[in-house]
Amino acid sequence: MKPAPATAVVPDDFDPMATAGIGHNAPPADPLDELVKELDDLYSTAKDFCDGEPIDSEEMAAVITELHDRIHECGKRAETLRVDEKKPLDEKIAAIQARFHPLIGNTKAGKGKVILAKEACQSLLTPWRTRVAAEKAAEAARVAAEAEAARLAAQEAMQASAGNLAEREAAEELLADAKALEKTARRSEKAATTGLGLRTVWEAVLVDEEIAMDWLWARAKDEVLAVAQRNADELVRSGVRSVPGFVVRDRKVAA
């Protein structure tokens, strides 16, 4: 670590524009450009002083403290500039959201007319379409059973017709009827599973918390611990000094 300078790290009266040669008619400087230059200078100074060597004097501590505070103040000004610069965009986005929310909004704050009306229609259509689907499925099952019975009957007739031409002809007719019924059954099955105006929604329903937690621990241990850490930190910040599974201790950090 280099020795502490006799003067401040960055002079309080430092004016980056003093020697810039800007005329009276020039446009005003971008405050962010000025801030970038100032922070670059401070950052370069920080690289010189923050070289891994510990502080060994009050003078050095004072210099590092001033450097820290100046950098911190730059950060505050940068945040202010950032907020000011994006404020018009935030306001425009908020205005757009507010304009369209009565139509298509779907948030915790409320739902728009499109969402509300669709949900109302769906609440009526879902039971109706479900009933129609059940009826079609029952009809498909009936036709499938009839086709299977016809196939078995034709198969038995074919086996029993050996050597009897008349019975063989009758068996062939039964087989043709059975195949026709099979086609009808396939059409009925298709009608029972498509074009119903319903969509399948899969959802996981918790039935055993202990097994679910064992599965989650094996699958996402780091995420589970991160949630636990976040909750523990919130409790400690609120004044709690005993958290199950954690040791609450204090440590000093530079302000």
Side-chain angles (χ1 to χ4, degrees):
M1 181 179 290
K2 63 167 56 177
T7 58
V9 175
V10 179
D12 291 333
D13 59 351
F14 174 68
D15 182 4
M17 302 306 296
T19 59
I22 297 179
H24 294 292
N25 296 327
D30 185 341
L32 180 58
D33 290 340
E34 296 179 1
L35 184 58
V36 167
K37 185 180 185 307
E38 181 179 352
L39 187 54
D40 283 346
D41 291 339
L42 290 170
Y43 189 84
S44 178
T45 302
K47 288 178 68 176
D48 290 337
F49 283 96
C50 301
D51 57 1
E53 293 295 325
I55 295 174
D56 57 6
S57 68
E58 288 290 341
E59 293 78 5
M60 184 60 69
V63 170
I64 301 297
T65 297
E66 179 188 358
L67 181 61
H68 168 277
D69 293 347
R70 296 289 294 274
I71 293 172
H72 177 71
E73 192 269 338
C74 278
K76 290 173 62 177
R77 281 188 282 146
E79 175 63 14
T80 299
L81 289 175
R82 184 190 69 83
V83 172
D84 289 344
E85 187 168 329
K86 79 183 189 75
K87 184 177 180 181
L89 297 177
D90 290 339
E91 292 175 347
K92 187 173 182 179
I93 291 172
I96 293 172
Q97 292 293 91
R99 183 182 179 191
F100 283 92
H101 189 276
L103 299 177
I104 56 175
N106 190 6
T107 66
K108 292 181 179 180
K111 299 181 179 182
K113 292 180 179 180
V114 169
I115 306 301
L116 290 173
K118 284 176 61 178
E119 289 180 350
C121 292
Q122 289 166 358
S123 68
L124 298 175
L125 287 170
T126 296
W128 165 257
R129 290 175 177 174
T130 300
R131 191 183 85 184
V132 171
E135 292 173 352
K136 289 184 176 181
E139 175 63 13
R142 184 192 67 77
V143 175
E146 184 178 337
E148 177 63 13
R151 186 189 68 80
L152 292 175
Q155 184 178 357
E156 292 176 359
M158 291 290 288
Q159 293 173 350
S161 65
N164 189 318
L165 184 57
E167 290 184 359
R168 181 57 182 262
E169 288 179 348
E172 290 289 349
E173 291 180 2
L174 289 176
L175 182 60
D177 291 342
K179 290 183 177 181
L181 280 174
E182 286 179 353
K183 290 183 180 180
T184 302
R186 286 194 294 270
R187 288 195 295 269
S188 296
E189 182 180 4
K190 184 176 182 180
T193 55
T194 60
L196 301 174
L198 295 171
R199 61 187 178 92
T200 301
V201 178
W202 296 90
E203 57 184 14
V205 180
L206 181 63
V207 296
D208 191 312
E209 292 184 359
E210 184 174 350
I211 293 177
M213 291 305 298
D214 288 342
W215 166 80
L216 181 61
W217 182 261
R219 177 182 173 85
K221 176 181 176 181
D222 291 342
E223 295 178 42
V224 173
L225 291 178
V227 172
Q229 185 68 58
R230 185 171 68 250
N231 280 268
D233 290 341
E234 290 176 357
L235 286 175
V236 172
R237 284 195 296 269
S238 70
V240 175
R241 294 296 177 259
S242 177
V243 181
F246 290 83
V247 174
V248 180
R249 61 190 179 194
D250 67 313
R251 64 187 179 92
K252 303 299 182 183
V253 297

